[in-house]
Amino acid sequence: MNSSVFAQHDDAWIAFWNKDTTLIGFKDKNGVIKIEPKFMGFTTARKFESIIAVTEEKNNKWDNYYLTKQGKIVGRDSLYTFDNGPDSENEGFIRFRDPKTDKMGFFNGEGKIVIPAEYSNLSKVQNGMIVALKGAEKVMAGFDGHFSWAGGKDYLIDTQNKILIENFEYNDQLNFYSLQKSKEPTKDEIRDNFRSVDGEYYSFINFDKEFNHWLKNTILTDLSKANLEKHAMNTITYWKEPDGWINAPKTKFIHQNYTYLKQKLQELKNPKCDYFVSTDGLNQFIFESSEYDFYFNNSNESIEWKYPVKNIVINPKNKSELKQDHIQFLRTDDGYKLLCVSAQKDNLK
């Protein structure tokens, strides 16, 4: 599957506020108002490509529904929400939850149900594929609404509800945009293999394996300034007291902090180095410049299922010290790039 099929539409409508910034409407790229400001609440979309979740107030009550660009209203009171926000369209599909059965399904961009509400949980569509959990039960954890799933069966399905892989062992480190199909399992060390229902093997790059391989063979083998600069975003963000987050051109930052960067990355080669690598999404409150627009979706969510941030966390040698060193790399279409640095001691320039 070719991910270029799912490129953003150039005819997307853009959200705008009314004068007192209480209601949201949408304009086309020429500034022509397509929908007067009337939405609020759960209306998080900043671009309107095919279908969005909206909220408007009617008769002192909230009216929640999905809206297509053709003006079709579907899924009233069936918004799928996660972390206090509604779902955002991905590749022309959006999730909904049946309030009567608490099961999930998918609408397409025309507002038609393409995946019926028969699943306990569904991932976003990624490269035309969906991780689907069926027959599971919620197990509540505490009183804050958080829960986990118990039982059920995982599948990998497509957007026509066809099962591609049964008993799919879901792993949030899989890059579904890297799909390769083969008659035999691939021996590529950074890929995970799965046998499909038609007997072929589907393999996907595992972000963890990919990053560790890249770090070992691309960075740690050459800690020169030139190589670090080659594998860096144009702007590096770093933390410095008392100013907070600061942005600096990569050449300047690497030149001024080369000794620190080299020393910390060199430490990773030592088997005794106490560090770990976590996976995060790009923080939209820190990375606000246009350089990063590409890495956020229409609701300003980090596209971490395709462009994760790998955070190397180095624990202090002195266990009485609490602050850690963080060196972050963003996955891009051109490989991983140095993104952000925060030091245990305030020694960044």
Side-chain angles (χ1 to χ4, degrees):
M1 300 183 186
N2 188 338
S3 61
S4 65
V5 173
F6 310 119
Q8 290 188 338
H9 300 188
D10 59 7
D11 61 348
W13 296 347
I14 309 301
F16 73 99
W17 291 99
N18 62 354
K19 288 184 178 180
D20 60 2
T21 64
T22 56
L23 299 173
I24 293 173
F26 289 88
K27 298 178 180 180
D28 67 15
K29 62 182 180 181
N30 297 316
V32 176
I33 295 176
K34 309 301 287 188
I35 303 176
E36 292 285 350
K38 65 176 182 176
F39 302 125
M40 57 196 307
F42 276 136
T43 311
T44 60
R46 294 298 170 258
K47 291 182 181 179
F48 190 167
E49 291 184 354
S50 301
I51 185 168
I52 59 172
V54 297
T55 302
E56 59 176 317
E57 186 179 4
K58 289 184 176 180
N59 300 320
N60 295 319
K61 293 183 179 180
W62 296 110
D63 192 12
N64 304 308
Y65 55 88
Y66 293 102
L67 179 68
T68 72
K69 284 181 80 172
Q70 289 70 40
K72 183 177 180 180
I73 294 174
V74 294
R76 183 168 260 120
D77 295 323
S78 297
L79 298 191
Y80 167 68
T81 60
F82 182 77
D83 278 351
N84 298 318
D87 200 23
S88 180
E89 170 192 342
N90 206 50
E91 298 177 15
F93 300 89
I94 200 165
R95 294 171 287 188
F96 72 93
R97 186 179 291 281
D98 186 324
K100 296 179 181 178
T101 65
D102 203 29
K103 296 291 191 295
M104 290 177 63
F106 265 100
F107 288 115
N108 67 9
E110 297 174 351
K112 297 177 181 177
I113 294 177
V114 290
I115 304 291
E118 59 185 27
Y119 294 97
S120 305
N121 197 35
L122 295 167
S123 71
K124 288 181 181 289
V125 175
Q126 298 174 48
N127 199 15
M129 295 171 284
I130 303 156
V131 180
L133 174 62
K134 198 170 189 177
E137 293 185 0
K138 286 182 179 179
V139 178
M140 302 307 295
F143 301 97
D144 57 1
H146 286 84
F147 64 89
S148 59
W149 293 107
K153 188 174 178 180
D154 280 310
Y155 301 86
L156 187 68
I157 63 176
D158 65 16
T159 54
Q160 296 177 351
N161 206 24
K162 175 186 174 183
I163 295 175
L164 303 175
I165 300 174
E166 287 194 85
N167 297 311
F168 183 70
E169 296 180 18
Y170 175 61
N171 181 336
D172 63 6
Q173 294 299 309
L174 297 180
N175 177 1
F176 289 98
Y177 296 89
S178 67
L179 170 64
Q180 289 183 358
K181 299 179 184 179
S182 57
K183 298 296 184 184
E184 300 293 334
T186 178
K187 295 181 180 179
D188 189 333
E189 63 184 78
I190 68 171
R191 287 181 167 270
D192 290 349
N193 290 281
F194 303 87
R195 188 176 176 86
S196 67
V197 295
D198 60 10
E200 283 192 314
Y201 285 88
Y202 283 40
S203 74
F204 306 97
I205 287 175
N206 179 302
F207 289 127
D208 274 345
K209 295 177 180 178
E210 177 188 51
F211 178 73
N212 289 331
H213 182 272
W214 174 86
L215 181 66
K216 178 181 177 181
N217 295 282
T218 304
I219 296 298
L220 299 187
T221 56
D222 181 3
L223 292 174
S224 65
K225 284 184 182 179
N227 196 45
L228 291 179
E229 188 173 330
K230 177 182 177 182
H231 298 287
M233 298 298 288
N234 291 330
T235 301
I236 306 298
T237 300
Y238 66 102
W239 180 268
K240 187 171 180 62
E241 296 287 357
D243 304 310
W245 292 111
I246 298 174
N247 298 318
K250 64 179 180 180
T251 302
K252 177 182 178 182
F253 177 83
I254 292 172
H255 176 74
Q256 291 183 337
N257 297 283
Y258 178 64
T259 301
Y260 166 81
L261 289 171
K262 184 178 180 180
Q263 176 192 344
K264 286 299 166 184
L265 291 170
Q266 193 94 40
E267 283 182 24
L268 304 181
K269 297 181 182 183
N270 186 339
K272 294 182 179 180
C273 179
D274 183 11
Y275 79 96
F276 62 92
V277 179
S278 65
T279 303
D280 304 297
L282 198 63
N283 189 322
Q284 67 267 47
F285 300 109
I286 296 175
F287 302 99
E288 298 178 308
S289 70
S290 59
E291 180 180 8
Y292 301 103
D293 287 350
F294 178 78
Y295 302 99
F296 295 100
N297 69 8
N298 291 348
S299 294
N300 205 32
E301 298 171 316
S302 170
I303 308 176
E304 57 190 272
W305 53 91
K306 192 174 182 181
Y307 303 112
V309 173
K310 289 296 186 179
N311 183 17
I312 301 174
V313 183
I314 306 173
N315 291 315
K317 294 178 181 178
N318 184 345
K319 300 304 179 184
S320 65
E321 296 178 358
L322 300 177
K323 199 170 181 183
Q324 302 161 311
D325 292 279
H326 294 251
I327 304 175
Q328 297 184 353
F329 294 85
L330 172 65
R331 189 184 189 277
T332 74
D333 289 334
D334 297 318
Y336 289 91
K337 302 284 188 181
L338 178 64
L339 169 75
C340 181
V341 180
S342 62
Q344 175 190 347
K345 298 177 181 178
D346 191 24
N347 54 4
L348 295 177
K349 302 173 183 178

